[in-house]
Amino acid sequence: MFTIKKSPDAPVFSHVKGNPFVQGPVRFRPGCEPPESQMPPYVEKTEIGMILDVEIRKLEEYRPEYIEIYKYVVMPDHCHVLLRVKQRLKCSVLKYVSATESAATSDCRRRGIIPRDASLFDLEGINDRIVYGNGQLKILREYIYDNPRRLLIKRLYPDLFRRTLGLQVGDYSLDCVGNIFLLRKPMLEVHVRRRWNEAECAEYVEKCVAAARAGMVLVSPAINRVEKEIMNKAIEEGGSVVRLSDRGFGERWKPAGKDFDLCAEGRLLVLVESGAATGRQTMTYDKATRLNRIAEYLAASEAGSHRVTTGLKAAGRG
């Protein structure tokens, strides 16, 4: 999957319209198009977007025996292209995608849409990701399809998708994404002990889920199977959760999958220690103990007593 970003100075590639709460497709009679509020999310490409759309499709049209495009979307400030290389190319597939950028830029300059010395794309380069397995392929296809809806949701609820940096909790400095106001509610730490037998675990699950039904916010790193089960059940029951992570927020990090919708509903807050590495981490006993200690402190603290020490930053692109 390739992500191509717009230059900050270039005009937008498209406009995302529609209602994020309407599921498509919508059927209507010719000449009786429904108002935008009744339309599912859709992308309306600008002149630049249409040029880019043509050049992206050329990747497959000019090399059908080599390249197959699974899915792509042209968003206002970036586009995602999910493709498969069917057999060995003469050069890196990245060069073909770079040629797509060059062709689109040249066409825009020729038409006078951008100045002749201007760049259409971000000079940081193209972000690329190798897809491993059908599971990842399915997830990324759905992610690309869902991009317009996600953007409309983030526009509606910007405060629920911001990174808050430097939340001071006792001696801990934390970064967070999600509904920070969950910290104003009474919280219950979810921590399953190793020594508990199956019956004790089952009793604890019921206790925690009952607390979530009563309005308490469950807080936990959700490391073991039972803790994950409790958090998931609380969410299914309509409850709210604060999840502690050991993985820092990268520049493009944003809630994925179901977490995105939970953020939009104001039912999720993700916390991580400031300065944590952004790559995938191995969970160690010491790290798990520290995360559980933070969860314990949060649950024991008086609601609303936590202090934000720095500003806000938006959480990634769509």
Side-chain angles (χ1 to χ4, degrees), residues 203-312:
E203 182 181 351
Y204 186 66
V205 169
E206 289 302 316
K207 172 190 170 184
C208 291
V209 174
R213 287 194 203 104
M216 293 194 77
V217 176
L218 303 190
V219 54
S220 174
I223 295 167
N224 69 35
R225 176 187 59 81
V226 180
E227 291 168 355
K228 288 184 173 71
E229 178 188 346
I230 291 169
M231 300 290 269
N232 289 334
K233 280 191 174 183
I235 290 168
E236 290 170 8
E237 295 273 349
S240 301
V241 298
V242 174
R243 187 182 303 136
L244 287 145
S245 175
D246 64 332
R247 187 174 180 178
F249 304 131
E251 189 60 33
R252 294 181 56 82
W253 188 93
K254 59 271 184 187
K258 293 181 180 179
D259 283 356
F260 181 89
D261 290 313
L262 286 174
C263 271
E265 294 167 12
R267 296 199 290 134
L268 174 66
L269 177 67
V270 182
L271 294 172
V272 62
E273 284 200 81
S274 301
T278 57
R280 191 172 295 279
Q281 306 296 309
T282 300
M283 182 58 67
T284 63
Y285 176 80
D286 289 343
K287 190 183 294 184
T289 300
R290 185 173 179 83
L291 291 174
N292 280 312
R293 194 173 294 140
I294 298 172
E296 181 182 7
Y297 187 91
L298 280 168
S301 300
E302 182 181 351
S305 63
H306 313 302
R307 183 166 54 93
V308 178
T309 59
T310 61
L312 304 175

